[in-house]
Amino acid sequence: NVRLVGGGSMQPIDFAARLEAELRLSRTLSVWKPHVKANSDRRLACWIGGSVFCALPSADGHFISRHEYHERGGRTTLHARCSSLTCRSIEDQEMAHRTAARANAVRLGYERENVAQRCHAISAEARAWWIESAPVG
């Protein structure tokens, strides 16, 4: 099942029918039947979702007033109030990615070094066995 939402799916052509036809042509399993659903109010889907969220009793602790936002700072307030959200700047995300990439490179370097040491040890053992078992003369 595919559900179309948002203004990008509001094309002058019948986007839902066209997408479903394309999916039917490209299917790999004969039993797979795609269903594309497009509500007529999908242009407002994000606003409807926001209003549903606001109606939840558990959403009360997640609202931040304009005064609180400007007084304490937006990011600080947001992170304190919504700790499950990971709102990081692009620079923070890039730094985290670089740090993870460096750690991965170091780990791979150690693994390669260990493999090289094991190969050297196996070669030395094989050489010693060959010398011991080779006929004299």
Side-chain angles (χ1 to χ4, degrees):
N1 289 332
V2 177
R3 176 156 312 266
L4 298 177
V5 296
S9 65
M10 302 291 291
Q11 302 292 324
I13 58 170
D14 192 5
F15 187 69
R18 182 176 172 197
L19 180 62
E20 189 167 331
E22 292 288 331
L23 289 172
R24 286 183 193 274
L25 290 174
S26 68
R27 68 178 182 209
T28 56
L29 301 173
S30 60
V31 296
W32 187 67
K33 294 179 183 174
H35 297 285
V36 177
K37 300 188 187 328
N39 294 347
S40 60
D41 63 346
R42 65 184 180 271
R43 181 173 59 94
L44 304 171
C46 63
W47 294 103
I48 293 170
S51 67
V52 168
F53 174 73
C54 290
L56 295 173
S58 60
D60 289 339
H62 294 288
F63 296 119
I64 300 169
S65 68
R66 175 180 281 195
H67 175 71
E68 187 179 5
Y69 182 87
H70 288 298
E71 182 180 300
R72 293 180 56 197
R75 264 179 107 181
T76 307
T77 306
L78 184 64
H79 283 288
R81 186 71 58 85
C82 308
S83 60
S84 62
L85 298 176
T86 55
C87 300
R88 297 186 302 183
S89 67
I90 298 294
E91 294 83 16
D92 291 346
Q93 292 177 25
E94 288 175 350
M95 181 60 75
H97 180 71
R98 277 193 225 107
T99 303
R102 277 191 212 109
N104 194 29
V106 168
R107 183 184 56 81
L108 289 175
Y110 286 136
E111 288 177 6
R112 287 186 186 124
E113 185 178 323
N114 289 338
V115 168
Q117 289 173 353
R118 280 185 274 154
C119 287
H120 182 69
I122 291 171
S123 296
E125 289 175 18
R127 192 176 310 112
W129 176 83
W130 182 258
I131 291 171
E132 288 175 8
S133 62
V136 177

